[in-house]
């Protein structure tokens, strides 16, 4: 069966051929035999993937479609949509992981045979992994003591699977290279990245911290599971069961498949609005992890007024987060731990003060940890973690732990210093959990007697109850910053460019980056990694930093993390020139020894010049010309996009290139010194204002 059911957009064609979208538009105009659209809209048409591949090969524009790209295009072009296609792929990858010989048997033959035989074998795998009740079989008993007959993953029928057959074969082939779990993670990661506005992610580093705060557990519940990041972070234990619920059926299915491929734990999933339709009313879990939706006014306030879960008070209409807190406590076993991500307002809104007070009086709320800005969406707020325990004995603990890790915020979009956040949070929590109190750590943590918090506001914001950092340390740090600023300003003065010498307008013969790439004078590579803080990463992958477009624009070190299952990472080398394609700025960065080895992030183009033909600094300098960027930019949408292939360079001898390159390099050093002076100056100003206003610095 030919894969004519799979469609691909112009953007997908551009990715297949390694060109810009403008090139695809030119091909459509200039080549009468270019495949005709089969779907989409007039402004965003779609084409048959098989026809596009054939045309590209015949034109010599495509030697071979990379397997990862082919699988992704087949998935995104599926007639039932990418979510359905991804669920089909997940089912088959689970079959391959659990029963590989069965797949080998049914894979032999036509697509029709494959689609006809798959449902029967998938039924058995799905029943075994998700605890559902297959036909003519008794269902397993879950931890609550009831028979669980529902499955979060529905076995697709033969007719539903038939259009997916080419995709499934390709996905299994990719699994032969990457492994079943890594293949699903790769496709899920790209799917979530392509639909980022529809989902609120929980960064992997934050998910790991929340799981460690909860501690080891045999039964774990996430009542707002989303894409499963929190349950995926749970430490595996023999006999473990993971429970997930979400109101989006697609997310529940994908999360269940993700967890089943990731762990040997029993996976239970349910679809439904957790607050209105709790799927696990009898469950008493060892741990609950939750990243609930924030600021939900339609959470069920009117119909749930007499719900038994409101043990600590009926939440106000604007306090949906406190409804989730009480749901989590209601699903805990005695002594169990819940960790919830909360907006900072939940710690201080007057409408929630009575519930907060009762949580404190009865010993349910054990800690509030303030995270740095940029830890999770919305990135402009310092979110909180609430650690709760279902009281299992009296007397109630008289103190609550307050921690503020805001000092570990990173610069701009670089994200927090997660290692420092993790160390501070876990060290203080474990010491407090062990001893019931914590020695005061100025500026970081304090265990506060509950009686001190039971005033009219019951304000639990950690920063309002912590002593400031030691004054001596603050003054010493300010002195060091001032010395650093003075040294940087002296360096900046020495690097100031000499007066400009006028010259007649140059009339150089010009070439373009595209022509140089075709002629072999440089190699052009495009970044395709998400490359932003919060990507799912394992400890091994986390050692490879990602150079993001923001890093290049800000002149900062690589700040992204490498996803676990990824496209082939493009690693930078000394002398590479990296250019951002979005934002409209005239920026090009030459990779130095400190940046070399980082993976290239999204919206970046890497140029690797042949040193026998091109000087890297000459190349980067001319690419920064304002007029050059203007003529190579597209303004068709709200964001300016740069077509790097259209950027121009003068044809100059290598010796002349090096003369220009030396001057461009000196300008770059001057620019870096200015940036450093600006950062130190802002730090000194902020420290002086804080020191003068809190009385730790004398006004002389």
């Amino acid at each position: 069966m030919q894969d004519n059911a799979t469609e691909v957009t112009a953007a997908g064609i551009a990715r297949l051929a390694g060109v810009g979208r403008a090139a695809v538009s030119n091909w459509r105009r200039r080549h009468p035999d270019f495949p005709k659209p089969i779907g989409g809209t007039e402004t965003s048409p779609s084409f048959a993937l098989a026809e596009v591949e054939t045309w590209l090969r015949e034109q010599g524009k495509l030697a071979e479609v990379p397997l990862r790209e082919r699988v992704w295009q087949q998935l995104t072009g599926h007639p039932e949509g990418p979510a359905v296609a991804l669920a089909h792929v997940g089912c088959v990858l689970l079959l391959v992981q659990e029963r590989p010989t069965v797949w080998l048997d049914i894979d032999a033959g036509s697509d029709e045979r494959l689609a006809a035989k798959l449902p029967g074998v998938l039924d058995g795998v799905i029943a075994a992994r998700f605890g559902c009740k297959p036909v003519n079989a008794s269902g397993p008993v879950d931890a609550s003591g009831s028979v669980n007959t529902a499955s979060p993953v529905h076995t697709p029928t033969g007719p539903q699977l038939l259009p997916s057959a080419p995709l499934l074969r390709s996905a299994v082939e990719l699994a032969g290279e990457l492994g079943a779990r890594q293949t699903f993670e790769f496709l899920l990661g790209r799917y979530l990245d392509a639909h980022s506005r529809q989902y609120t992610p929980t960064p992997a580093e934050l998910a790991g911290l929340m799981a460690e705060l909860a501690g080891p557990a045999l039964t774990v519940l996430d009542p707002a599971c989303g894409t499963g990041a929190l349950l995926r972070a749970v430490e595996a234990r023999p006999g473990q069961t993971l429970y997930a619920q979400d109101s989006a059926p697609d997310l529940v299915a994908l999360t269940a498949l993700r967890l089943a491929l990731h762990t040997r734990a029993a996976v239970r999933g349910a679809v439904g609005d957790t607050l209105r339709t709790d799927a696990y009313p009898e469950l008493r879990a060892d741990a609950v992890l939750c990243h609930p939706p924030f600021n939900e006014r339609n959470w069920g306030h009117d119909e749930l007024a007499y719900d038994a879960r409101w043990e600590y008070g009926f939440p106000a209409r604007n306090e949906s987060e406190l409804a989730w807190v009480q749901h989590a406590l209601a699903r805990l076993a005695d002594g169990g731990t819940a960790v919830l991500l909360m907006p900072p307002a939940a710690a201080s809104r007057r409408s929630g003060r009575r519930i907060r007070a009762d949580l404190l009086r009865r010993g349910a709320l054990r800690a509030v940890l303030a995270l740095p800005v940029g830890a999770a969406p919305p990135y402009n707020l310092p979110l909180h973690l609430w650690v709760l325990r279902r009281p299992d004995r009296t007397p109630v603990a008289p103190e609550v732990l307050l921690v503020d890790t805001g000092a570990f915020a990173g610069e701009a979009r670089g994200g927090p210093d997660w290692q420092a956040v993790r160390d501070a949070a876990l060290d203080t929590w474990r010491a407090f959990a062990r001893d019931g109190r914590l020695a005061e750590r100025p500026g970081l943590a304090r265990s506060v007697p509950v009686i001190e918090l039971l005033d009219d506001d019951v304000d639990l914001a950690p920063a309002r109850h912590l002593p400031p950092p030691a004054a001596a340390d603050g003054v010493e740090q300010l002195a060091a910053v001032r010395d650093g600023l003075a040294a940087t300003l002296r360096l900046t003065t020495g690097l100031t460019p000499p007066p400009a010498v006028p010259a007649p307008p140059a009339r150089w013969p010009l070439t373009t980056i595209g022509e140089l790439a075709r002629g072999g004078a440089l190699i052009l590579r495009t970044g395709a990694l998400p490359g932003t803080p919060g990507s799912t990463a394992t400890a091994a992958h986390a050692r490879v930093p990602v150079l993001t477009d923001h890093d290049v624009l800000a002149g900062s070190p690589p700040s992204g993390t490498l996803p676990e299952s990824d496209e082939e990472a493009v690693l930078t080398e000394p002398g590479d020139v990296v250019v951002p394609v979005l934002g409209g700025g005239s920026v090009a960065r030459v990779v130095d020894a400190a940046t070399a080895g980082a993976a290239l992030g999204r919206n970046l183009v890497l140029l690797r010049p042949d040193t026998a033909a091109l000087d890297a600094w000459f190349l980067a300098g001319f690419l920064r010309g304002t007029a050059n960027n203007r003529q190579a930019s597209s303004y068709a949408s709200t964001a300016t996009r740069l077509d790097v292939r259209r950027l121009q360079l003068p044809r100059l001898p290598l010796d002349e290139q090096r003369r220009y390159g030396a001057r461009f390099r000196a300008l770059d050093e001057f620019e870096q010194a200015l940036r450093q002076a600006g950062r130190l100056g802002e730090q000194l100003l902020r420290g002086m204002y804080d020191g003068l206003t809190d009385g730790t610095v004398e006004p002389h």
Side-chain angles (χ1 to χ4, degrees), residues 84-100 102-103 106 113-135 151 153-162 164-165 168 172 257 260-261:
V84 171
L86 189 54
H88 290 180
V89 168
C91 289
V92 169
L93 291 175
L94 187 58
L95 170 65
V96 170
Q97 180 170 283
E98 300 282 318
R99 304 176 186 176
V102 175
W103 167 260
I106 63 175
R113 178 180 182 273
L114 176 68
K117 286 187 167 292
L118 259 180
V121 296
L122 289 179
D123 255 341
V125 173
I126 289 172
R129 290 300 277 121
F130 301 117
C132 61
K133 183 179 180 182
V135 178
S151 170
V153 180
H154 301 294
T155 304
T157 64
Q160 290 172 332
L161 284 168
L162 186 57
S164 300
L168 300 179
V172 173
L257 288 165
L261 286 162

Side-chain angles (χ1 to χ4, degrees), residues 40-131:
T41 64
E42 184 175 348
T43 56
S44 181
S46 58
F47 308 83
L49 176 61
E51 294 178 6
V52 168
E53 290 179 9
T54 300
W55 186 87
L56 289 172
R57 285 196 179 93
E58 290 174 349
Q59 296 292 321
K61 302 180 185 299
L62 180 67
E64 182 179 355
V65 180
L67 180 56
R68 293 183 184 215
E69 190 59 39
R70 176 177 176 78
V71 174
W72 174 245
Q73 294 299 341
Q74 287 175 320
L75 189 144
T76 56
H78 194 280
E80 296 300 321
V84 171
L86 189 54
H88 290 180
V89 168
C91 289
V92 169
L93 291 175
L94 187 58
L95 170 65
V96 170
Q97 180 170 283
E98 300 282 318
R99 304 176 186 176
T101 56
V102 175
W103 167 260
L104 293 175
D105 175 58
I106 63 175
D107 182 40
S110 66
D111 289 351
E112 288 77 8
R113 178 180 182 273
L114 176 68
K117 286 187 167 292
L118 259 180
V121 296
L122 289 179
D123 255 341
V125 173
I126 289 172
R129 290 300 277 121
F130 301 117

